[in-house]
Amino acid sequence: MAVGAKLHLSSAARRPTLPQLLAVALLCSASYLAGVWHHGGGFTAAPSAAAAGGSPSPVSIATTSSVACVSPTPAAPLDFAAHHAADEAEAKVAPARRAYGACPAKYSEYTPCEDVERSLRFPRDRLVYRERHCPAEGERLRCLVPAPKGYRNPFPWPASRDVAWFANVPHKELTVEKAVQNWIHVEGDKFRFPGGGTMFPHGAGAYIDDIGNLIPLHDGSIRTALDTGCGVASWGAYLLSRNILAMSFAPRDSHEAQVQFALERGVPAMIGVLASNRLTYPARAFDMAHCSRCLIPWQLYDGLYLIEVDRILRPGGYWILSGPPINWKKHSKGWQRTREDLNAEQQAIESVAKSLCWKKIKEVGDIAIWQKPTNHIHCKALRKVAKSPPFCSNKNPDAAWYEKMEACITPLPEVSDIKEVAGGELKKWPQRLTAVPPRIASGSFEGVTAEMFNEDTKLWKKRVGHYKSVVSQFGQKGRYCNLLDMNARFGGFAAALAGDPMWVMNMVPTIGNSTTLGVIYERGLIGNYQDWCEGMSTYPRTYDLIHADSVFSLYKDRCEMDTILLEMDRILRPEGTVIIRDDVDLLVKIKSVADGMRWNSQIVDHEDGPLVREKLLLVVKTYWTLGDEKQ
């Protein structure tokens, strides 16, 4: 009907005729088909779960202006299965339409913010050059980081703890340098990890048993751990088997690909170093911290590095040191250092620990353990006599994104009684996962109540249940191990998966409310701060599944969409999965970029149905490697 046509006022004239109805139907159909063509031809809707008599299959939703004209049709489900395990390493999947080409082969292990060449521009003093130094806008890669030729899907956990494919991390340096220390061996086309370490020749399991004889590792009071200078993270790997979640880190240095090996094994790890910046964790985060011959000069720079460990240890937390200078009377010849030098180093470490008001619990054999006080009542009284180091003033204890370390003690929250735990006592694992975290229960987390936290926990249980209904492999044991939540808030996504054989790295964007990372650690989960306009401190191909809730809404005015998508592609394994939650209009734009990145994707309904504007974009990264002919 023409817009300018004169309308008659009689009721008979207002009643539509059959030709008019047919014309409207044709216009609706044409509008719908035009919308499908405009958005790439991939937007269809599927029958509801109730109509089908089962769970919904992966689908996507028509998003044209003529919503009332949409007619549902079935969509072909995405293929989330792994195709490139042991017997299918050479198989290739035809790549999707592409707007982004493959990066040159030299970028196969590219870590943008720890680039070896760029690091040489920065001071070597205190290892500053090994800290994060991200590329400027003009230096960023706008290409897809390739997997090495012959890349295969990693072994599922727990087999991955002990074995990995050589083709995935083709480095033999550690097998030579650490041959006598039983870190890693090459056996044909595989690496094998015997669980050895410099200070645990009988294996990580036996070493952890020795620690467990000194502090309570088995009753749920210790859940989160930090391993500084982790090597290939065997300590963290064997703790994971005991329900203790360790954050392991090591710099990108001459020991090629330590952190990459750790993640390939299915163990949480990140590239990191104690240098001039604070570690990227909140205050009072870890139940214990560990150094096994990590070669960190704890006694230097006014004890700055131990002061930083004190900041991130929870009240009553433990610090474990093995290796030089502990047990120097036995090992001094093997370490090729004088007894006098080693004794002086140990005395200096003891002095720093005492100045932090730590109590030495035990020193047995090669292991020494200190404990942080549960509050600072006594410590503040001592400061009236011993002035160094002073307590920090007016500095956010949780701030840790490019924040410089300072030689001052981070004060614990005030208490009224010497027996009170500063900041609130944590429940034992697993009760602490769903208990209201002390930072919320105390009211110190502005604007968030216990009721809001409990509702958030319920919400994420519902959402994860929906994810498992639309991505069948999500619930299959061994399909996913390393998960990344790009906007974790209170860690609800990870908490809902805590009963599954997988772990989640919970990232809290620096432009959001950064204090939520403290809540995540109080729940017994791990995570990090991150600005998603920059690269993450990890190697390529280290996560099986990436979850991005409202990330693109959060960053829409901060950096280009493809900056974030290309970084997601870099850290996602071939045939890995992405789940993006966001407004439907934004998802359409994301999909248009993602379809040019060798990703297969579909938009599906929100868990509350098709009338909700927020939708899900489900993605599978296609398999391709260096040397594929059809790149």
Side-chain angles (χ1 to χ4, degrees):
M1 179 185 294
V3 174
K6 184 179 292 186
L7 301 179
H8 297 283
L9 299 179
S10 69
S11 59
R14 288 196 297 268
R15 196 173 294 121
T17 64
L18 181 60
Q20 288 175 326
L21 290 173
L22 290 173
V24 170
L26 287 172
L27 283 171
C28 282
S29 299
S31 176
Y32 171 67
L33 292 172
V36 171
W37 176 85
H38 177 70
H39 293 302
F43 296 85
T44 55
S48 67
S55 300
S57 60
V59 296
S60 44
I61 305 302
T63 54
T64 71
S65 57
S66 305
V67 176
C69 301
V70 173
S71 176
T73 56
L78 288 181
D79 183 3
F80 290 92
H83 301 289
H84 299 276
D87 57 347
E88 297 183 71
E90 300 303 319
K92 299 177 180 66
V93 174
R97 175 180 59 85
R98 123 179 110 85
Y100 296 89
C103 301
K106 68 177 182 178
Y107 293 110
S108 176
E109 295 179 354
Y110 181 59
T111 53
C113 296
E114 289 84 13
D115 181 65
V116 176
E117 292 183 11
R118 186 182 303 105
S119 71
L120 299 178
R121 307 174 195 171
F122 298 91
R124 292 186 171 243
D125 181 51
R126 283 177 50 188
L127 300 181
V128 168
Y129 74 110
R130 285 185 175 149
E131 292 185 312
R132 285 176 59 87
H133 303 290
C134 298
E137 180 63 34
E139 296 179 301
R140 288 177 178 165
L141 294 181
R142 295 291 180 183
C143 52
L144 305 176
V145 173
K149 182 70 175 177
Y151 179 89
R152 309 184 189 190
N153 295 102
F155 290 89
W157 181 267
S160 63
R161 187 190 71 177
D162 303 321
V163 65
W165 296 113
F166 179 85
N168 291 11
V169 193
H171 290 284
K172 290 187 177 181
E173 293 87 346
L174 283 175
T175 68
V176 176
E177 186 173 342
K178 301 293 182 180
V180 299
Q181 296 168 12
N182 229 18
W183 277 25
I184 182 172
H185 300 156
V186 176
E187 296 180 0
D189 60 353
K190 303 179 188 68
F191 286 111
R192 191 161 297 279
F193 303 91
T198 309
M199 295 311 301
F200 30 98
H202 302 297
Y207 175 77
I208 292 169
D209 287 339
D210 290 340
I211 295 173
N213 291 330
L214 305 176
I215 58 174
L217 289 185
H218 312 296
D219 66 354
S221 59
I222 294 175
R223 164 63 178 174
T224 59
L226 180 70
D227 193 11
T228 58
C230 65
V232 296
S234 288
W235 190 70
Y238 281 76
L239 282 175
L240 195 58
S241 303
R242 301 170 190 234
N243 226 10
I244 295 176
L245 201 53
M247 172 73 82
S248 300
F249 74 84
R252 179 161 189 171
D253 59 10
S254 57
H255 295 164
E256 284 284 355
Q258 295 176 92
V259 166
Q260 191 175 16
F261 277 122
L263 286 155
E264 193 71 15
R265 299 175 71 183
V267 181
M270 291 187 70
I271 302 170
V273 64
L274 270 167
S276 69
N277 292 326
R278 280 181 168 183
L279 297 174
T280 51
Y281 317 115
R284 313 193 321 267
F286 295 96
D287 302 327
M288 66 176 172
H290 171 259
C291 163
S292 174
R293 202 175 186 182
C294 59
L295 304 181
I296 295 171
W298 299 110
Q299 77 283 9
L300 299 184
Y301 316 119
D302 298 319
L304 194 63
Y305 298 148
L306 271 186
I307 290 172
E308 176 62 2
V309 170
D310 179 77
R311 182 185 71 86
I312 55 92
L313 271 182
R314 70 163 171 82
Y318 301 95
W319 184 58
I320 304 165
L321 176 64
S322 67
I326 304 303
N327 207 4
W328 56 266
K329 293 179 181 178
K330 177 181 178 181
H331 296 297
S332 59
K333 289 184 179 180
W335 293 335
Q336 298 180 340
R337 292 174 59 185
T338 66
R339 294 163 67 87
E340 292 76 16
D341 179 38
L342 288 162
N343 182 44
E345 181 181 335
Q346 177 154 357
Q347 293 307 312
I349 291 173
E350 302 268 11
S351 178
V352 175
K354 186 176 180 180
S355 75
L356 297 172
C357 304
W358 291 4
K359 178 183 178 182
K360 192 171 187 180
I361 301 295
K362 290 285 178 80
E363 182 175 331
V364 178
D366 298 336
I367 300 172
I369 301 179
W370 287 262
Q371 186 174 23
K372 178 178 176 176
T374 54
N375 60 61
H376 275 158
I377 288 181
H378 277 163
C379 202
K380 287 184 175 179
L382 290 172
R383 276 299 159 283
K384 296 176 181 179
V385 178
K387 305 292 185 183
S388 181
F391 280 96
C392 303
S393 59
N394 302 321
K395 188 173 178 70
N396 180 359
D398 292 332
W401 189 248
Y402 297 115
E403 290 282 337
K404 294 298 178 186
M405 286 187 279
E406 294 182 10
C408 58
I409 301 174
T410 299
L412 291 172
E414 295 291 337
V415 296
S416 57
D417 185 86
I418 191 63
K419 294 182 180 180
E420 187 179 346
V421 177
E425 189 169 2
L426 295 174
K427 294 187 180 296
K428 293 183 178 182
W429 181 264
Q431 287 76 23
R432 68 190 273 189
L433 178 68
T434 52
V436 178
R439 295 185 195 221
I440 293 177
S442 65
S444 59
F445 201 104
E446 188 176 349
V448 179
T449 64
E451 291 74 20
M452 292 168 65
F453 171 80
N454 289 329
E455 286 301 315
D456 185 77
T457 300
K458 292 178 184 177
L459 174 65
W460 280 104
K461 284 184 179 179
K462 176 182 178 181
R463 287 179 169 180
V464 168
H466 182 60
Y467 294 163
K468 290 182 177 180
S469 73
V470 295
V471 182
S472 60
Q473 282 74 12
F474 201 97
Q476 292 180 4
K477 185 176 180 180
R479 179 66 183 90
Y480 305 129
C481 178
N482 305 5
L483 277 65
L484 176 70
D485 192 355
M486 295 176 68
N487 186 17
R489 294 189 179 89
F490 300 130
F493 171 74
L497 290 166
D500 295 342
M502 56 185 69
W503 56 267
V504 179
M505 187 70 76
N506 295 281
M507 309 303 279
V508 173
T510 54
I511 64 173
N513 188 352
S514 63
T515 52
T516 62
L517 192 53
V519 169
I520 287 167
Y521 276 94
E522 286 185 339
R523 300 187 77 173
L525 305 169
I526 60 171
N528 216 298
Y529 295 117
Q530 177 66 33
D531 181 351
W532 288 113
C533 293
E534 299 181 0
M536 184 177 169
S537 291
T538 191
Y539 282 83
R541 303 173 300 281
T542 49
Y543 286 93
D544 305 308
L545 184 144
I546 298 176
H547 179 249
D549 176 19
S550 305
V551 170
F552 291 90
S553 289
L554 193 62
Y555 280 91
K556 64 182 178 181
D557 299 321
R558 295 289 300 244
C559 54
E560 296 297 325
M561 182 183 293
D562 70 345
T563 296
I564 300 174
L565 287 168
L566 288 170
E567 177 62 5
M568 292 168 70
D569 182 81
R570 183 185 73 87
I571 63 182
L572 183 66
R573 287 175 173 161
E575 298 187 321
T577 302
V578 179
I579 301 174
I580 302 174
R581 301 182 67 94
D582 230 309
D583 183 83
V584 63
D585 289 344
L586 194 52
L587 287 187
V588 170
K589 295 176 182 178
I590 295 168
K591 188 180 191 305
S592 69
V593 177
D595 287 348
M597 294 171 53
R598 310 188 193 190
W599 287 9
N600 292 328
S601 63
Q602 286 181 314
I603 296 177
V604 308
D605 270 337
H606 186 276
E607 58 273 4
D608 290 334
L611 299 182
V612 182
R613 282 196 58 83
E614 184 178 75
K615 307 291 182 187
L616 308 179
L617 178 64
L618 303 182
V619 172
V620 176
K621 178 178 175 178
T622 61
Y623 175 90
W624 63 276
T625 71
L626 281 171
D628 284 355
E629 295 178 2
K630 296 181 181 180
Q631 289 188 15

